[in-house]
Structure formats: C-alpha cells, structure tokens
Amino acid sequence: MAGSRRKSPGITPDILLRAYSIGLFPMAESADDPEIFWVEPELRGVLPLDDFHISKSLAKTVRRKPFEIRFDHDFDQVIAACAEETSGRPSTWINQTIRSLYSTLFEIGHAHTVEAWDGDQLVGGLYGVSLGSAFFGESMFSRRTDASKICLVHLVDRLREKGFTLLDTQFTTEHLKTFGAIDVPKTEYALLLANAMESPHLKF
C-alpha cells in the first residue's frame, strides 16, 4: 500500500471528518484487530464525474431496472455486507470500530448508502462519506450480477444532480478503471480536495 500510514490511538466522528478534509482515511489490519491506522496514498483514486462511462451492456442492464434502488435505507446492513468475508475477499479492513464510527456518521448525515434490492433482499450496495462537495467511496458488495455496478451508476447520477465535484475512490482497481477511475498524485489530489472543502456541505 503506497503512501503514509500512522496509528490512531483514539478516534471520534469529528476527528474522522477532519481527517477526510485533509486527505486521510482510516483502515484496520483485519476485522478482528481493534486498532485503526490512517492512510494517505501517494496516488489517490479518483473517478471524475464528468468522465464516468459504462459499457453498452451495463447501460442496457441499468435501463432494464432489475433491482429497486434505495438511498440511505439500511446503512447497518450495507456495511455489514461490505465487511463479510467472501471467496473473492477472504479478509476485510472493516472492523467493529469502523462499523460503529460510520454508523454514527450516518446518523448525523455524513455517511450514505446506495442499495440494490430484490424484493426484501439486499443484493448489492455501497457506502461512503460526504463532506463539502466531495463523496469518499468506502466499500461495495454484490450478491447478484451487476448489482454493485448498478449502484455505482446511480451514485454518480446522484452526485452530479446534487452538484458534487469530487468522487474519491481511495485507490484504483482494474474494475474501477473501466468506469474511468484515474490515479491522481497526492499534491494534485490536495488541490481537488481543498476546492471541494470550500463548498458548503451538500445534501446527498
């Protein structure tokens, strides 16, 4: 993991928001490790909202509306699903401390979800943090084909509609790059972040 990291002996929701505002975010070594450390990558993943693109096949799937999309409906269930160990993700950085902190951020209007539902079953989703005109994507999960991708499409539509200027993905993956995600040097990211923090806190 490129970039600096430092241990955090104690953290509150206010400290967490302050950290986001200056380019830091927390992680844990594992779900069973109570400790949290701050991460500040040398290259930051960003998904430019004006250069987001999807494949023709995914666009067709989105138009078909295979799932009901809900916003901020069941935060606890979304973060629990993101923390689950799966065959493709045998370990997780989401520990109980992180789950508790982000649940509090949800209660005060700074953490949000996009959720895909099939009847009464949550089949995909994502969560992140909003601050100023920035949205910091944290994690996503999918229990059905394309469920998390469809949630990402709806997230971007929502952010554009509300006037957000920055969608932070922390790191890039080959999966995110197919949507247009790029690596931004830390100094360049700092400028993007400072601009987003000058904005009043936008309603998600």
Side-chain angles (χ1 to χ4, degrees), residues 128-194:
V129 173
S130 66
L131 189 63
S133 64
F135 188 91
F136 306 89
E138 284 294 317
S139 188
M140 61 174 59
F141 77 98
S142 190
R143 293 170 176 159
R144 299 280 178 82
T145 301
D146 290 335
S148 62
K149 294 179 182 179
I150 291 171
C151 287
L152 180 59
V153 171
H154 282 274
L155 171 66
V156 170
D157 286 347
R158 183 88 160 202
L159 297 179
R160 287 170 168 170
E161 175 191 344
K162 299 295 185 177
F164 282 77
T165 61
L166 174 62
L167 174 50
D168 178 319
T169 66
Q170 299 180 347
F171 304 103
T172 58
T173 62
E174 291 307 311
H175 171 64
L176 288 173
K177 286 179 181 178
T178 64
F179 293 95
I182 58 174
D183 288 312
V184 175
K186 184 164 63 173
T187 52
E188 183 179 337
Y189 174 78
L191 296 176
L192 295 173
L193 181 62

Short mmCIF file of all heavy atoms in Angstrom, two decimals, residues 128-194:
data_model
loop_
_atom_site.label_atom_id
_atom_site.label_comp_id
_atom_site.label_asym_id
_atom_site.label_seq_id
_atom_site.Cartn_x
_atom_site.Cartn_y
_atom_site.Cartn_z
N GLY A 128 -20.36 5.37 1.61
CA GLY A 128 -19.27 6.33 1.61
C GLY A 128 -19.61 7.52 2.48
O GLY A 128 -20.64 7.56 3.15
N VAL A 129 -18.72 8.50 2.46
CA VAL A 129 -18.82 9.67 3.31
C VAL A 129 -18.93 10.92 2.44
O VAL A 129 -18.21 11.06 1.45
CB VAL A 129 -17.57 9.79 4.21
CG1 VAL A 129 -17.56 11.10 4.98
CG2 VAL A 129 -17.52 8.61 5.18
N SER A 130 -19.85 11.82 2.81
CA SER A 130 -19.97 13.09 2.10
C SER A 130 -19.50 14.22 3.01
O SER A 130 -19.77 14.23 4.21
CB SER A 130 -21.41 13.34 1.66
OG SER A 130 -22.27 13.52 2.76
N LEU A 131 -18.77 15.15 2.41
CA LEU A 131 -18.24 16.30 3.15
C LEU A 131 -17.97 17.41 2.14
O LEU A 131 -17.28 17.18 1.14
CB LEU A 131 -16.96 15.92 3.89
CG LEU A 131 -16.41 16.95 4.89
CD1 LEU A 131 -17.40 17.19 6.03
CD2 LEU A 131 -15.07 16.46 5.45
N GLY A 132 -18.52 18.60 2.38
CA GLY A 132 -18.39 19.64 1.38
C GLY A 132 -19.04 19.19 0.08
O GLY A 132 -20.18 18.73 0.08
N SER A 133 -18.31 19.30 -1.03
CA SER A 133 -18.83 18.79 -2.30
C SER A 133 -18.09 17.53 -2.74
O SER A 133 -18.01 17.21 -3.92
CB SER A 133 -18.71 19.86 -3.40
OG SER A 133 -17.35 20.18 -3.66
N ALA A 134 -17.55 16.80 -1.74
CA ALA A 134 -16.82 15.55 -2.02
C ALA A 134 -17.59 14.36 -1.48
O ALA A 134 -18.26 14.44 -0.44
CB ALA A 134 -15.43 15.59 -1.39
N PHE A 135 -17.49 13.26 -2.20
CA PHE A 135 -18.00 11.97 -1.71
C PHE A 135 -16.84 11.00 -1.73
O PHE A 135 -16.18 10.80 -2.76
CB PHE A 135 -19.14 11.46 -2.61
CG PHE A 135 -19.82 10.23 -2.03
CD1 PHE A 135 -20.93 10.36 -1.20
CD2 PHE A 135 -19.35 8.95 -2.31
CE1 PHE A 135 -21.56 9.25 -0.66
CE2 PHE A 135 -19.97 7.83 -1.78
CZ PHE A 135 -21.08 7.99 -0.95
N PHE A 136 -16.59 10.38 -0.58
CA PHE A 136 -15.48 9.45 -0.42
C PHE A 136 -16.04 8.03 -0.40
O PHE A 136 -16.63 7.60 0.59
CB PHE A 136 -14.73 9.74 0.88
CG PHE A 136 -14.27 11.17 1.01
CD1 PHE A 136 -15.11 12.13 1.58
CD2 PHE A 136 -13.02 11.56 0.57
CE1 PHE A 136 -14.69 13.46 1.71
CE2 PHE A 136 -12.60 12.88 0.68
CZ PHE A 136 -13.44 13.83 1.26
N GLY A 137 -15.88 7.30 -1.49
CA GLY A 137 -16.38 5.94 -1.56
C GLY A 137 -15.56 5.03 -0.67
O GLY A 137 -14.32 5.06 -0.69
N GLU A 138 -16.23 4.21 0.13
CA GLU A 138 -15.53 3.35 1.07
C GLU A 138 -15.49 1.88 0.64
O GLU A 138 -14.44 1.27 0.58
CB GLU A 138 -16.19 3.46 2.45
CG GLU A 138 -15.84 4.74 3.18
CD GLU A 138 -14.36 4.80 3.54
OE1 GLU A 138 -13.81 3.78 3.99
OE2 GLU A 138 -13.76 5.86 3.36
N SER A 139 -16.64 1.30 0.37
CA SER A 139 -16.67 -0.12 0.03
C SER A 139 -17.96 -0.44 -0.69
O SER A 139 -18.95 0.31 -0.60
CB SER A 139 -16.54 -0.98 1.29
OG SER A 139 -16.39 -2.36 0.98
N MET A 140 -17.95 -1.55 -1.43
CA MET A 140 -19.16 -2.01 -2.10
C MET A 140 -19.21 -3.53 -2.07
O MET A 140 -18.20 -4.19 -1.82
CB MET A 140 -19.23 -1.49 -3.54
CG MET A 140 -18.10 -1.93 -4.43
SD MET A 140 -18.34 -1.43 -6.17
CE MET A 140 -18.45 0.36 -6.03
N PHE A 141 -20.39 -4.07 -2.29
CA PHE A 141 -20.54 -5.52 -2.33
C PHE A 141 -21.61 -5.87 -3.34
O PHE A 141 -22.44 -5.03 -3.72
CB PHE A 141 -20.92 -6.07 -0.94
CG PHE A 141 -22.38 -5.85 -0.60
CD1 PHE A 141 -23.31 -6.86 -0.80
CD2 PHE A 141 -22.82 -4.63 -0.13
CE1 PHE A 141 -24.65 -6.65 -0.50
CE2 PHE A 141 -24.15 -4.41 0.16
CZ PHE A 141 -25.07 -5.42 -0.03
N SER A 142 -21.60 -7.12 -3.77
CA SER A 142 -22.59 -7.58 -4.74
C SER A 142 -22.91 -9.04 -4.50
O SER A 142 -22.01 -9.87 -4.36
CB SER A 142 -22.05 -7.39 -6.18
OG SER A 142 -23.06 -7.62 -7.12
N ARG A 143 -24.19 -9.33 -4.42
CA ARG A 143 -24.65 -10.71 -4.28
C ARG A 143 -25.37 -11.18 -5.54
O ARG A 143 -25.78 -12.34 -5.61
CB ARG A 143 -25.58 -10.83 -3.07
CG ARG A 143 -24.87 -10.60 -1.74
CD ARG A 143 -25.85 -10.49 -0.59
NE ARG A 143 -25.17 -10.37 0.69
CZ ARG A 143 -25.72 -9.87 1.78
NH1 ARG A 143 -26.99 -9.45 1.75
NH2 ARG A 143 -25.06 -9.79 2.91
N ARG A 144 -25.55 -10.29 -6.49
CA ARG A 144 -26.16 -10.61 -7.78
C ARG A 144 -25.33 -9.94 -8.87
O ARG A 144 -24.70 -8.89 -8.63
CB ARG A 144 -27.60 -10.10 -7.86
CG ARG A 144 -28.54 -10.68 -6.84
CD ARG A 144 -29.04 -12.07 -7.21
NE ARG A 144 -29.91 -12.59 -6.17
CZ ARG A 144 -31.21 -12.28 -6.05
NH1 ARG A 144 -31.76 -11.45 -6.90
NH2 ARG A 144 -31.92 -12.81 -5.07
N THR A 145 -25.37 -10.51 -10.04
CA THR A 145 -24.60 -9.97 -11.16
C THR A 145 -24.95 -8.51 -11.40
O THR A 145 -26.13 -8.14 -11.49
CB THR A 145 -24.90 -10.78 -12.44
OG1 THR A 145 -24.55 -12.15 -12.23
CG2 THR A 145 -24.09 -10.24 -13.61
N ASP A 146 -23.92 -7.68 -11.44
CA ASP A 146 -24.01 -6.25 -11.77
C ASP A 146 -24.67 -5.40 -10.68
O ASP A 146 -24.84 -4.19 -10.87
CB ASP A 146 -24.76 -6.02 -13.09
CG ASP A 146 -23.98 -6.49 -14.30
OD1 ASP A 146 -22.73 -6.54 -14.22
OD2 ASP A 146 -24.60 -6.81 -15.33
N ALA A 147 -25.02 -5.96 -9.54
CA ALA A 147 -25.74 -5.18 -8.52
C ALA A 147 -24.92 -3.99 -8.03
O ALA A 147 -25.43 -2.86 -7.95
CB ALA A 147 -26.14 -6.07 -7.35
N SER A 148 -23.65 -4.21 -7.70
CA SER A 148 -22.84 -3.09 -7.20
C SER A 148 -22.52 -2.10 -8.32
O SER A 148 -22.43 -0.88 -8.07
CB SER A 148 -21.54 -3.61 -6.57
OG SER A 148 -20.73 -4.28 -7.50
N LYS A 149 -22.37 -2.59 -9.54
CA LYS A 149 -22.11 -1.69 -10.67
C LYS A 149 -23.30 -0.77 -10.89
O LYS A 149 -23.14 0.43 -11.15
CB LYS A 149 -21.85 -2.50 -11.94
CG LYS A 149 -20.59 -3.34 -11.93
CD LYS A 149 -20.45 -4.12 -13.23
CE LYS A 149 -19.22 -5.00 -13.23
NZ LYS A 149 -19.10 -5.78 -14.49
N ILE A 150 -24.49 -1.31 -10.79
CA ILE A 150 -25.70 -0.50 -10.97
C ILE A 150 -25.79 0.53 -9.86
O ILE A 150 -26.17 1.69 -10.10
CB ILE A 150 -26.95 -1.41 -11.00
CG1 ILE A 150 -26.94 -2.25 -12.29
CG2 ILE A 150 -28.23 -0.59 -10.91
CD1 ILE A 150 -28.01 -3.32 -12.34
N CYS A 151 -25.41 0.16 -8.63
CA CYS A 151 -25.39 1.12 -7.53
C CYS A 151 -24.40 2.25 -7.81
O CYS A 151 -24.68 3.42 -7.51
CB CYS A 151 -25.04 0.42 -6.22
SG CYS A 151 -26.38 -0.61 -5.56
N LEU A 152 -23.25 1.92 -8.38
CA LEU A 152 -22.27 2.94 -8.71
C LEU A 152 -22.82 3.91 -9.75
O LEU A 152 -22.62 5.13 -9.65
CB LEU A 152 -20.98 2.29 -9.22
CG LEU A 152 -19.84 3.24 -9.62
CD1 LEU A 152 -19.42 4.11 -8.43
CD2 LEU A 152 -18.65 2.44 -10.16
N VAL A 153 -23.51 3.40 -10.74
CA VAL A 153 -24.12 4.26 -11.76
C VAL A 153 -25.11 5.23 -11.11
O VAL A 153 -25.11 6.43 -11.40
CB VAL A 153 -24.84 3.41 -12.83
CG1 VAL A 153 -25.66 4.30 -13.77
CG2 VAL A 153 -23.83 2.59 -13.64
N HIS A 154 -25.92 4.72 -10.20
CA HIS A 154 -26.89 5.59 -9.51
C HIS A 154 -26.20 6.57 -8.58
O HIS A 154 -26.68 7.71 -8.40
CB HIS A 154 -27.90 4.73 -8.76
CG HIS A 154 -28.95 4.12 -9.64
ND1 HIS A 154 -30.10 4.78 -9.98
CD2 HIS A 154 -29.00 2.93 -10.29
CE1 HIS A 154 -30.83 4.02 -10.78
NE2 HIS A 154 -30.18 2.89 -10.98
N LEU A 155 -25.07 6.17 -7.97
CA LEU A 155 -24.31 7.09 -7.13
C LEU A 155 -23.83 8.28 -7.97
O LEU A 155 -23.98 9.44 -7.57
CB LEU A 155 -23.11 6.38 -6.50
CG LEU A 155 -22.12 7.30 -5.78
CD1 LEU A 155 -22.76 7.95 -4.55
CD2 LEU A 155 -20.85 6.53 -5.38
N VAL A 156 -23.22 7.99 -9.10
CA VAL A 156 -22.70 9.06 -9.95
C VAL A 156 -23.82 9.98 -10.41
O VAL A 156 -23.69 11.21 -10.39
CB VAL A 156 -21.92 8.48 -11.15
CG1 VAL A 156 -21.57 9.58 -12.16
CG2 VAL A 156 -20.65 7.79 -10.66
N ASP A 157 -24.94 9.42 -10.82
CA ASP A 157 -26.09 10.24 -11.22
C ASP A 157 -26.52 11.16 -10.07
O ASP A 157 -26.81 12.34 -10.27
CB ASP A 157 -27.26 9.36 -11.63
CG ASP A 157 -27.06 8.70 -12.99
OD1 ASP A 157 -26.15 9.13 -13.72
OD2 ASP A 157 -27.82 7.77 -13.32
N ARG A 158 -26.55 10.61 -8.87
CA ARG A 158 -26.96 11.38 -7.69
C ARG A 158 -25.97 12.50 -7.41
O ARG A 158 -26.37 13.64 -7.14
CB ARG A 158 -27.04 10.44 -6.48
CG ARG A 158 -27.51 11.06 -5.19
CD ARG A 158 -29.01 11.01 -5.10
NE ARG A 158 -29.46 11.15 -3.72
CZ ARG A 158 -30.65 10.75 -3.29
NH1 ARG A 158 -31.49 10.16 -4.11
NH2 ARG A 158 -31.01 10.93 -2.04
N LEU A 159 -24.69 12.21 -7.46
CA LEU A 159 -23.67 13.21 -7.17
C LEU A 159 -23.70 14.34 -8.21
O LEU A 159 -23.57 15.52 -7.86
CB LEU A 159 -22.28 12.57 -7.13
CG LEU A 159 -22.06 11.52 -6.03
CD1 LEU A 159 -20.64 10.96 -6.12
CD2 LEU A 159 -22.33 12.09 -4.65
N ARG A 160 -23.86 13.99 -9.46
CA ARG A 160 -23.97 15.01 -10.50
C ARG A 160 -25.20 15.89 -10.26
O ARG A 160 -25.13 17.13 -10.35
CB ARG A 160 -24.08 14.35 -11.87
CG ARG A 160 -22.79 13.74 -12.40
CD ARG A 160 -23.09 12.92 -13.62
NE ARG A 160 -21.91 12.52 -14.37
CZ ARG A 160 -21.92 11.63 -15.36
NH1 ARG A 160 -23.06 11.04 -15.70
NH2 ARG A 160 -20.80 11.33 -16.00
N GLU A 161 -26.31 15.28 -9.95
CA GLU A 161 -27.56 16.00 -9.72
C GLU A 161 -27.44 16.99 -8.57
O GLU A 161 -27.98 18.10 -8.63
CB GLU A 161 -28.68 15.00 -9.44
CG GLU A 161 -30.02 15.62 -9.07
CD GLU A 161 -31.01 14.59 -8.53
OE1 GLU A 161 -30.78 13.37 -8.72
OE2 GLU A 161 -32.00 15.01 -7.93
N LYS A 162 -26.72 16.58 -7.52
CA LYS A 162 -26.62 17.41 -6.31
C LYS A 162 -25.47 18.42 -6.37
O LYS A 162 -25.33 19.24 -5.45
CB LYS A 162 -26.43 16.51 -5.08
CG LYS A 162 -27.60 15.55 -4.83
CD LYS A 162 -28.88 16.28 -4.49
CE LYS A 162 -29.98 15.29 -4.14
NZ LYS A 162 -31.23 15.99 -3.73
N GLY A 163 -24.64 18.38 -7.40
CA GLY A 163 -23.57 19.35 -7.55
C GLY A 163 -22.24 18.99 -6.92
O GLY A 163 -21.40 19.86 -6.71
N PHE A 164 -22.03 17.71 -6.62
CA PHE A 164 -20.74 17.28 -6.07
C PHE A 164 -19.64 17.46 -7.12
O PHE A 164 -19.90 17.38 -8.33
CB PHE A 164 -20.81 15.82 -5.63
CG PHE A 164 -21.51 15.61 -4.31
CD1 PHE A 164 -22.90 15.67 -4.23
CD2 PHE A 164 -20.78 15.37 -3.15
CE1 PHE A 164 -23.55 15.49 -3.01
CE2 PHE A 164 -21.41 15.19 -1.93
CZ PHE A 164 -22.80 15.25 -1.86
N THR A 165 -18.42 17.70 -6.65
CA THR A 165 -17.29 17.94 -7.56
C THR A 165 -16.22 16.86 -7.50
O THR A 165 -15.37 16.79 -8.39
CB THR A 165 -16.63 19.29 -7.24
OG1 THR A 165 -16.13 19.27 -5.89
CG2 THR A 165 -17.63 20.43 -7.40
N LEU A 166 -16.23 16.03 -6.45
CA LEU A 166 -15.15 15.05 -6.28
C LEU A 166 -15.73 13.71 -5.82
O LEU A 166 -16.47 13.66 -4.84
CB LEU A 166 -14.15 15.55 -5.23
CG LEU A 166 -13.03 14.60 -4.81
CD1 LEU A 166 -12.13 14.25 -5.99
CD2 LEU A 166 -12.21 15.21 -3.66
N LEU A 167 -15.39 12.66 -6.55
CA LEU A 167 -15.70 11.28 -6.14
C LEU A 167 -14.38 10.57 -5.91
O LEU A 167 -13.68 10.22 -6.85
CB LEU A 167 -16.55 10.56 -7.19
CG LEU A 167 -16.83 9.07 -6.93
CD1 LEU A 167 -17.36 8.83 -5.53
CD2 LEU A 167 -17.79 8.52 -7.98
N ASP A 168 -14.05 10.39 -4.66
CA ASP A 168 -12.80 9.77 -4.22
C ASP A 168 -13.02 8.27 -4.08
O ASP A 168 -13.94 7.84 -3.39
CB ASP A 168 -12.42 10.41 -2.88
CG ASP A 168 -11.16 9.84 -2.26
OD1 ASP A 168 -10.96 8.61 -2.31
OD2 ASP A 168 -10.39 10.62 -1.69
N THR A 169 -12.17 7.46 -4.71
CA THR A 169 -12.27 6.01 -4.59
C THR A 169 -11.12 5.42 -3.77
O THR A 169 -10.97 4.22 -3.69
CB THR A 169 -12.29 5.33 -5.98
OG1 THR A 169 -11.02 5.53 -6.63
CG2 THR A 169 -13.41 5.89 -6.85
N GLN A 170 -10.30 6.29 -3.18
CA GLN A 170 -9.13 5.92 -2.36
C GLN A 170 -8.03 5.31 -3.21
O GLN A 170 -6.94 5.85 -3.32
CB GLN A 170 -9.53 5.00 -1.22
CG GLN A 170 -10.52 5.63 -0.26
CD GLN A 170 -10.94 4.73 0.88
OE1 GLN A 170 -10.69 3.52 0.86
NE2 GLN A 170 -11.58 5.29 1.88
N PHE A 171 -8.30 4.15 -3.80
CA PHE A 171 -7.36 3.51 -4.70
C PHE A 171 -8.07 3.19 -6.00
O PHE A 171 -9.30 3.20 -6.06
CB PHE A 171 -6.81 2.21 -4.09
CG PHE A 171 -6.16 2.41 -2.74
CD1 PHE A 171 -6.83 2.06 -1.57
CD2 PHE A 171 -4.89 2.95 -2.63
CE1 PHE A 171 -6.26 2.25 -0.32
CE2 PHE A 171 -4.30 3.14 -1.39
CZ PHE A 171 -4.98 2.78 -0.23
N THR A 172 -7.32 2.92 -7.05
CA THR A 172 -7.94 2.45 -8.29
C THR A 172 -7.77 0.94 -8.39
O THR A 172 -6.83 0.36 -7.85
CB THR A 172 -7.31 3.10 -9.53
OG1 THR A 172 -5.91 2.81 -9.56
CG2 THR A 172 -7.53 4.60 -9.54
N THR A 173 -8.70 0.31 -9.05
CA THR A 173 -8.61 -1.12 -9.38
C THR A 173 -8.90 -1.24 -10.87
O THR A 173 -9.41 -0.30 -11.50
CB THR A 173 -9.66 -1.93 -8.59
OG1 THR A 173 -10.97 -1.48 -8.98
CG2 THR A 173 -9.47 -1.76 -7.10
N GLU A 174 -8.58 -2.38 -11.43
CA GLU A 174 -8.89 -2.57 -12.86
C GLU A 174 -10.39 -2.44 -13.09
O GLU A 174 -10.84 -1.94 -14.12
CB GLU A 174 -8.38 -3.94 -13.32
CG GLU A 174 -6.87 -4.05 -13.36
CD GLU A 174 -6.22 -2.94 -14.17
OE1 GLU A 174 -6.68 -2.69 -15.32
OE2 GLU A 174 -5.27 -2.31 -13.67
N HIS A 175 -11.17 -2.89 -12.10
CA HIS A 175 -12.63 -2.79 -12.20
C HIS A 175 -13.06 -1.32 -12.27
O HIS A 175 -13.84 -0.92 -13.15
CB HIS A 175 -13.26 -3.47 -10.99
CG HIS A 175 -14.73 -3.24 -10.85
ND1 HIS A 175 -15.65 -3.70 -11.77
CD2 HIS A 175 -15.45 -2.59 -9.90
CE1 HIS A 175 -16.87 -3.35 -11.38
NE2 HIS A 175 -16.77 -2.66 -10.26
N LEU A 176 -12.54 -0.48 -11.36
CA LEU A 176 -12.93 0.93 -11.35
C LEU A 176 -12.40 1.67 -12.58
O LEU A 176 -13.04 2.63 -13.05
CB LEU A 176 -12.42 1.60 -10.08
CG LEU A 176 -13.14 1.21 -8.79
CD1 LEU A 176 -12.44 1.83 -7.58
CD2 LEU A 176 -14.60 1.67 -8.82
N LYS A 177 -11.26 1.24 -13.09
CA LYS A 177 -10.71 1.91 -14.28
C LYS A 177 -11.61 1.75 -15.49
O LYS A 177 -11.62 2.61 -16.38
CB LYS A 177 -9.30 1.37 -14.58
CG LYS A 177 -8.25 1.87 -13.60
CD LYS A 177 -6.88 1.28 -13.92
CE LYS A 177 -5.83 1.76 -12.93
NZ LYS A 177 -4.49 1.16 -13.20
N THR A 178 -12.39 0.68 -15.53
CA THR A 178 -13.31 0.51 -16.66
C THR A 178 -14.40 1.58 -16.65
O THR A 178 -15.05 1.84 -17.67
CB THR A 178 -13.98 -0.88 -16.65
OG1 THR A 178 -14.80 -1.02 -15.48
CG2 THR A 178 -12.94 -1.98 -16.67
N PHE A 179 -14.62 2.23 -15.49
CA PHE A 179 -15.60 3.31 -15.40
C PHE A 179 -14.96 4.69 -15.57
O PHE A 179 -15.66 5.70 -15.58
CB PHE A 179 -16.29 3.27 -14.04
CG PHE A 179 -17.17 2.07 -13.84
CD1 PHE A 179 -16.68 0.94 -13.18
CD2 PHE A 179 -18.47 2.05 -14.31
CE1 PHE A 179 -17.49 -0.18 -12.99
CE2 PHE A 179 -19.29 0.94 -14.12
CZ PHE A 179 -18.79 -0.18 -13.46
N GLY A 180 -13.63 4.72 -15.68
CA GLY A 180 -12.93 5.99 -15.86
C GLY A 180 -12.10 6.44 -14.68
O GLY A 180 -11.57 7.56 -14.69
N ALA A 181 -11.94 5.60 -13.66
CA ALA A 181 -11.15 5.98 -12.49
C ALA A 181 -9.68 6.19 -12.87
O ALA A 181 -9.14 5.49 -13.74
CB ALA A 181 -11.25 4.91 -11.41
N ILE A 182 -9.06 7.17 -12.23
CA ILE A 182 -7.66 7.51 -12.51
C ILE A 182 -6.88 7.63 -11.20
O ILE A 182 -7.45 7.84 -10.14
CB ILE A 182 -7.54 8.82 -13.30
CG1 ILE A 182 -8.21 9.99 -12.53
CG2 ILE A 182 -8.16 8.67 -14.69
CD1 ILE A 182 -8.02 11.35 -13.17
N ASP A 183 -5.56 7.51 -11.31
CA ASP A 183 -4.67 7.76 -10.19
C ASP A 183 -4.22 9.21 -10.23
O ASP A 183 -3.74 9.70 -11.26
CB ASP A 183 -3.44 6.85 -10.27
CG ASP A 183 -3.75 5.41 -9.94
OD1 ASP A 183 -4.43 5.17 -8.92
OD2 ASP A 183 -3.34 4.52 -10.71
N VAL A 184 -4.38 9.90 -9.10
CA VAL A 184 -4.02 11.31 -9.01
C VAL A 184 -2.90 11.47 -7.98
O VAL A 184 -3.04 11.00 -6.85
CB VAL A 184 -5.24 12.16 -8.61
CG1 VAL A 184 -4.84 13.61 -8.41
CG2 VAL A 184 -6.33 12.05 -9.65
N PRO A 185 -1.79 12.13 -8.33
CA PRO A 185 -0.72 12.36 -7.36
C PRO A 185 -1.23 13.12 -6.14
O PRO A 185 -2.17 13.92 -6.24
CB PRO A 185 0.30 13.20 -8.14
CG PRO A 185 0.03 12.89 -9.58
CD PRO A 185 -1.45 12.66 -9.67
N LYS A 186 -0.62 12.87 -4.99
CA LYS A 186 -1.09 13.45 -3.73
C LYS A 186 -1.21 14.96 -3.79
O LYS A 186 -2.17 15.54 -3.26
CB LYS A 186 -0.16 13.01 -2.59
CG LYS A 186 -0.61 13.46 -1.22
CD LYS A 186 0.09 12.70 -0.11
CE LYS A 186 1.57 12.92 -0.08
NZ LYS A 186 2.21 12.28 1.11
N THR A 187 -0.24 15.63 -4.42
CA THR A 187 -0.28 17.09 -4.48
C THR A 187 -1.46 17.58 -5.32
O THR A 187 -2.12 18.56 -4.96
CB THR A 187 1.03 17.65 -5.07
OG1 THR A 187 1.30 16.99 -6.33
CG2 THR A 187 2.19 17.41 -4.12
N GLU A 188 -1.73 16.91 -6.41
CA GLU A 188 -2.87 17.28 -7.25
C GLU A 188 -4.18 16.98 -6.54
O GLU A 188 -5.15 17.76 -6.61
CB GLU A 188 -2.80 16.53 -8.59
CG GLU A 188 -3.89 16.90 -9.57
CD GLU A 188 -3.78 16.14 -10.88
OE1 GLU A 188 -2.67 15.68 -11.21
OE2 GLU A 188 -4.81 16.00 -11.57
N TYR A 189 -4.22 15.85 -5.85
CA TYR A 189 -5.42 15.50 -5.10
C TYR A 189 -5.71 16.54 -4.02
O TYR A 189 -6.87 16.90 -3.78
CB TYR A 189 -5.27 14.12 -4.45
CG TYR A 189 -6.42 13.75 -3.55
CD1 TYR A 189 -7.63 13.31 -4.08
CD2 TYR A 189 -6.33 13.91 -2.17
CE1 TYR A 189 -8.70 13.00 -3.26
CE2 TYR A 189 -7.39 13.61 -1.34
CZ TYR A 189 -8.58 13.16 -1.89
OH TYR A 189 -9.64 12.87 -1.07
N ALA A 190 -4.68 17.05 -3.37
CA ALA A 190 -4.85 18.05 -2.32
C ALA A 190 -5.58 19.29 -2.84
O ALA A 190 -6.41 19.88 -2.14
CB ALA A 190 -3.50 18.44 -1.72
N LEU A 191 -5.30 19.66 -4.08
CA LEU A 191 -5.98 20.82 -4.68
C LEU A 191 -7.45 20.50 -4.95
O LEU A 191 -8.33 21.34 -4.69
CB LEU A 191 -5.28 21.22 -5.98
CG LEU A 191 -3.84 21.71 -5.84
CD1 LEU A 191 -3.24 21.97 -7.23
CD2 LEU A 191 -3.79 22.99 -5.01
N LEU A 192 -7.72 19.31 -5.47
CA LEU A 192 -9.11 18.91 -5.71
C LEU A 192 -9.89 18.87 -4.41
O LEU A 192 -11.04 19.31 -4.33
CB LEU A 192 -9.14 17.53 -6.38
CG LEU A 192 -8.55 17.39 -7.78
CD1 LEU A 192 -8.51 15.93 -8.20
CD2 LEU A 192 -9.35 18.21 -8.78
N LEU A 193 -9.24 18.34 -3.37
CA LEU A 193 -9.90 18.23 -2.07
C LEU A 193 -10.15 19.60 -1.46
O LEU A 193 -11.24 19.87 -0.93
CB LEU A 193 -9.03 17.38 -1.13
CG LEU A 193 -9.59 17.13 0.26
CD1 LEU A 193 -10.91 16.38 0.19
CD2 LEU A 193 -8.57 16.36 1.11
N ALA A 194 -9.15 20.48 -1.52
CA ALA A 194 -9.31 21.82 -0.96
C ALA A 194 -10.47 22.55 -1.63
O ALA A 194 -11.25 23.24 -0.96
CB ALA A 194 -8.01 22.61 -1.12
#
